[in-house]
C-alpha cells in the first residue's frame, strides 16, 4: 500500500495526539471519530494500524524496547510497545523505523530517563494496548456486534495477529558493547547495570 493511503490514518492519530492529554482521552477521541464514519473506514483503520505496526515488529526494535525496559521486555510488552510507537505520529514513527536508536529523541522517553522503572506511572509507560481496541469499539458502537470487526477482517481474509513475529536477527542488549554500538544513545539514556535490580511496576 502506498504511503498516501495512510494520510487519513495519520491525520486521526496526530489529531488525537494534539487534542488529548492522555491515552484514555486519545482512545475516546479516536473511537468517537471512527464511529462517525462508514464501517469500511473503521475496518480500514484497523488494517492500516497493523500494517504500520508490522514495520516496527523487528528484533532491532525489540532490543530497543528491552534497553528502555531495563534489559527485559516480554512478548506482551513488546506488542503494546509497537502500538505506542505508531501512536507517536507519522514523523517520529518513520524516524524510528529507520533507526530505533532515534527513540532517544522522543520527549516521552526523555522524561523517563534516569528514573527507576518502579517510579514510572502506568500512563507514562511506552506501551499503548488500548490503541489496538479502538476500531473494535467503534465497530461495536455502530453495529452492536461485540466481535464484529474481527469477523469483518476474517471475511476479507485479513489476518489479525496478537503476538510479535519479529523480522531480522535477535541480539541481546545485555551484551553492553553490542548495545553501545547498535543503540548508542538509548544505552546511554537507559544503562542496564543501574536498572536491572529487582523492581516492581508502579500502580
Amino acid at each position: 500500500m502506498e504511503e498516501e493511503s495512510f494520510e487519513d490514518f495519520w491525520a486521526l492519530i496526530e489529531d488525537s495526539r494534539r487534542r488529548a492529554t492522555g491515552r484514555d482521552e486519545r482512545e475516546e477521541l479516536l473511537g468517537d471519530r471512527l464511529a462517525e464514519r462508514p464501517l469500511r473506514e473503521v475496518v480500514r483503520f484497523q488494517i492500516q494500524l497493523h500494517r504500520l505496526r508490522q514495520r516496527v515488529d523487528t528484533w532491532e526494535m525489540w532490543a530497543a524496547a528491552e534497553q528502555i525496559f531495563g534489559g527485559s521486555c516480554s512478548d506482551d510488552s513488546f506488542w503494546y510497545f509497537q502500538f505506542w510507537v505508531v501512536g507517536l505520529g507519522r514523523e517520529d514513527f518513520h524516524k524510528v523505523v529507520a533507526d530505533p536508536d532515534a527513540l532517544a529523541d522522543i520527549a516521552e522517553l526523555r522524561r523517563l530517563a534516569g528514573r527507576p522503572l518502579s517510579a514510572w506511572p502506568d500512563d507514562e509507560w511506552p506501551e499503548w494496548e488500548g490503541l489496538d481496541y479502538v476500531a473494535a469499539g467503534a465497530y461495536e458502537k455502530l453495529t452492536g456486534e461485540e466481535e464484529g470487526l474481527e469477523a469483518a477482517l476474517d471475511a476479507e481474509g485479513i489476518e489479525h495477529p496478537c503476538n510479535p513475529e519479529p523480522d531480522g536477527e535477535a541480539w541481546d542488549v545485555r551484551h553492553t558493547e553490542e548495545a553501545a554500538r547498535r543503540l548508542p544513545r538509548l544505552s546511554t539514556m537507559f544503562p542496564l547495570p543501574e536498572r536491572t535490580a529487582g523492581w516492581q511496576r508502579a500502580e
Side-chain angles (χ1 to χ4, degrees):
M1 183 178 292
E2 296 298 324
E3 179 63 28
E4 304 83 69
S5 67
F6 289 91
E7 288 288 340
D8 189 53
F9 176 90
W10 285 126
L12 288 168
I13 291 291
E14 290 166 0
D15 179 66
S16 75
R17 188 170 172 82
R18 285 190 301 270
R19 294 174 55 191
T21 58
R23 283 174 218 160
D24 289 346
E25 190 175 332
R26 287 185 74 181
E27 290 168 25
E28 183 177 358
L29 181 60
L30 283 167
D32 289 345
R33 293 285 301 279
L34 285 173
E36 296 170 353
R37 297 173 174 229
L39 282 177
R40 65 179 180 278
E41 293 188 23
V42 179
V43 176
R44 185 166 176 257
F45 179 94
Q46 187 70 6
I47 293 171
Q48 290 174 322
L49 173 62
H50 276 279
R51 285 179 174 167
L52 289 166
R53 179 205 57 76
Q54 287 175 324
R55 296 185 61 186
V56 292
D57 191 10
T58 67
W59 284 113
E60 193 73 8
M61 193 64 68
W62 203 331
E66 288 186 327
Q67 187 74 49
I68 294 164
F69 294 158
S72 178
C73 178
S74 68
D75 289 14
D76 285 349
S77 287
F78 182 51
W79 182 253
Y80 305 147
F81 178 81
Q82 292 174 27
F83 292 109
W84 176 82
V85 172
V86 175
L88 294 173
R90 174 165 44 188
E91 182 177 352
D92 286 336
F93 174 83
H94 285 301
K95 287 180 181 178
V96 169
V97 167
D99 176 16
D101 199 42
L103 285 161
D105 295 326
I106 302 302
E108 290 93 326
L109 290 182
R110 297 182 70 85
R111 288 195 292 269
L112 295 175
R115 296 162 58 188
L117 274 73
S118 59
W120 293 7
D122 280 351
D123 61 359
E124 292 188 35
W125 273 78
E127 299 176 357
W128 194 4
E129 178 183 5
L131 181 57
D132 194 24
Y133 308 132
V134 166
Y139 198 101
E140 182 178 356
K141 186 175 181 179
L142 287 168
T143 66
E145 300 173 17
E146 186 174 347
E147 298 182 0
L149 179 61
E150 185 174 342
L153 293 170
D154 286 339
E156 293 195 25
I158 302 294
E159 295 184 4
H160 37 97
C162 57
N163 290 294
E165 297 177 355
D167 289 330
E169 182 179 352
W171 62 278
D172 191 344
V173 297
R174 288 166 291 189
H175 296 163
T176 55
E177 291 183 1
E178 185 72 359
R181 182 179 71 83
R182 301 177 75 150
L183 299 170
R185 290 184 291 163
L186 285 178
S187 61
T188 298
M189 287 177 65
F190 299 97
L192 299 191
E194 300 174 10
R195 303 173 62 82
T196 51
W199 58 272
Q200 292 184 344
R201 182 168 177 168
E203 296 298 335

